[in-house]
Amino acid sequence: MKVVALAGGVGGAKLVDGLAAHLSPDELCVVVNIGDDFEHLGLYICPDLDTVCYTLAGIANPETGWGRADETWNAFDSLVALGGPDWFHLGDRDLGTHLERTRRLRAGEPLSQVTRAFCAAWGVRPTVLPASDQRVPTLVHTEEGVLPFQEYFVHRACQPKVTGFSFAGAAQARPAPGVLPAILAADVVILCPSNPWVSIDPILAIPGICQALAGRPILAVTPIIGGITVKGPAAKMYAELGIQPSALAVARHYGSLLDGFVLDVVDAELYEPLRSLGLQVLMTDTLMRDRADRLRLAEAVLQLGERLLNLATCNESDEKAV
């Protein structure tokens, strides 16, 4: 079964790691959010891409879920001692990634080509693609003004009250090479347990992607459990936008795009409301505490994907019979 996963950072990376254990490399393509990408200290940094790649390579920091394992902080400590900005932490190993990416980009290589080279060097076998080679930065609209995503997320620690989001340059961007063919060849598309507003929506905002998704069986894994997010500000964003944060709110956010939904057992009362939206619903423990959880959840997600694929095949056969 060919699978395309749309992913943000830590939550998406964990599920993708589980999927990679159940699928052959040619059966899995991961399309990653680029809305978080930004320039810092003259370097081009891709937080979600790096988190997905580090995780698949087995070199991610197991405690934080982002950054490199066995990291040291000599360069960062020297920077801070000299009066440099201390709000965005860059470890020594991680710094090497950003230095080489920036060098290659300035030499004219597109981001997708750089990512492919990095994956080869790290031994990442599934295909990992940035959503676009163009820059499409997420802007967070708040009561204090419009903030670049990392300014809001890291520097301001998600404190300003959110009023909306926009994705600069999205209308002029194009999907990275390989993205549309992968989606069109996919048997199932999985929206990972990533923030719908700032991890998945920036991917969907790129022209051509939603059109390619049409007709594909699509399922989402809830990033909200018991009204809160495991990691990140998604629940806070929902509340500040006047929406009760819940798995049901996530499903409604994606609307008619979805055919299936993976719900946590904690939210069993939402099973029937989700079914009433016309969704195939799978209820399981969605919290990924360790790699065994990633494997277990990925297996359940793929089972729902098989169910959606079979339903789609049956419906197609019925239409032909008529």
Side-chain angles (χ1 to χ4, degrees), residues 170-212:
Q172 292 75 43
R174 300 182 304 278
V179 169
L180 296 185
I183 293 173
L184 293 172
D187 295 308
V188 174
V189 176
I190 297 169
L191 308 187
C192 289
S194 303
N195 187 315
W197 301 103
V198 297
S199 292
I200 304 300
D201 280 0
I203 300 174
L204 300 178
I206 296 170
I209 289 184
C210 279
Q211 292 89 330

Side-chain angles (χ1 to χ4, degrees), residues 257-304:
L257 191 67
L258 294 184
D259 301 291
F261 196 86
V262 179
L263 176 71
D264 194 272
V265 290
V266 168
D267 294 311
E269 75 280 0
L270 298 179
Y271 183 87
E272 289 303 329
L274 286 164
R275 289 277 296 167
S276 72
L277 297 178
L279 299 173
Q280 294 291 316
V281 182
L282 184 148
M283 190 162 57
T284 187
D285 178 2
T286 63
L287 195 60
M288 292 178 282
R289 308 166 191 83
D290 53 31
R291 192 153 196 272
D293 283 340
R294 300 179 192 183
L295 298 177
R296 175 192 48 75
L297 178 58
E299 183 177 21
V301 168
L302 291 172
Q303 288 173 355
L304 178 57

Side-chain angles (χ1 to χ4, degrees), residues 125-178:
R125 300 184 66 201
T127 300
V128 179
L129 298 171
S132 177
D133 280 333
Q134 285 77 50
R135 300 188 181 187
V136 186
T138 295
L139 300 176
V140 183
H141 297 249
T142 77
E143 290 186 343
E144 300 177 26
V146 179
L147 300 174
F149 180 79
Q150 297 298 342
E151 173 70 18
Y152 164 81
F153 185 65
V154 180
H155 200 186
R156 303 293 298 278
C158 306
Q159 290 305 308
K161 185 176 180 180
V162 167
T163 59
F165 308 92
S166 59
F167 312 111
Q172 292 75 43
R174 300 182 304 278

Side-chain angles (χ1 to χ4, degrees), residues 10-185:
V10 177
K14 288 181 177 180
L15 180 59
V16 163
D17 185 44
L19 293 172
H22 291 289
L23 298 169
S24 63
D26 64 342
E27 289 179 318
L28 177 61
C29 175
V30 189
V31 178
V32 185
N33 170 44
I34 58 165
D36 294 13
D37 297 2
F38 76 123
E39 287 195 15
H40 184 62
L41 302 173
L43 301 176
Y44 195 63
I45 300 171
C46 303
D48 285 359
L49 261 178
D50 291 342
T51 296
V52 169
C53 291
Y54 289 164
T55 301
L56 287 171
I59 58 176
N61 185 325
E63 295 180 2
T64 62
W66 53 267
R68 292 285 298 267
D70 303 317
E71 189 61 279
T72 55
W73 302 91
N74 298 305
F76 180 77
D77 290 343
S78 296
L79 170 75
V80 174
L82 293 170
D86 63 356
W87 63 271
F88 194 88
H89 288 213
L90 292 173
D92 299 329
R93 294 174 183 270
D94 196 30
L95 192 60
T97 300
H98 309 315
L99 284 165
E100 178 59 4
R101 175 190 292 118
T102 303
R103 183 191 72 80
R104 289 180 179 234
L105 290 174
R106 287 177 179 167
E109 290 186 45
L111 182 60
S112 55
Q113 183 175 321
V114 176
T115 303
R116 184 165 57 249
F118 285 7
C119 285
W122 291 324
V124 174
R125 300 184 66 201
T127 300
V128 179
L129 298 171
S132 177
D133 280 333
Q134 285 77 50
R135 300 188 181 187
V136 186
T138 295
L139 300 176
V140 183
H141 297 249
T142 77
E143 290 186 343
E144 300 177 26
V146 179
L147 300 174
F149 180 79
Q150 297 298 342
E151 173 70 18
Y152 164 81
F153 185 65
V154 180
H155 200 186
R156 303 293 298 278
C158 306
Q159 290 305 308
K161 185 176 180 180
V162 167
T163 59
F165 308 92
S166 59
F167 312 111
Q172 292 75 43
R174 300 182 304 278
V179 169
L180 296 185
I183 293 173
L184 293 172

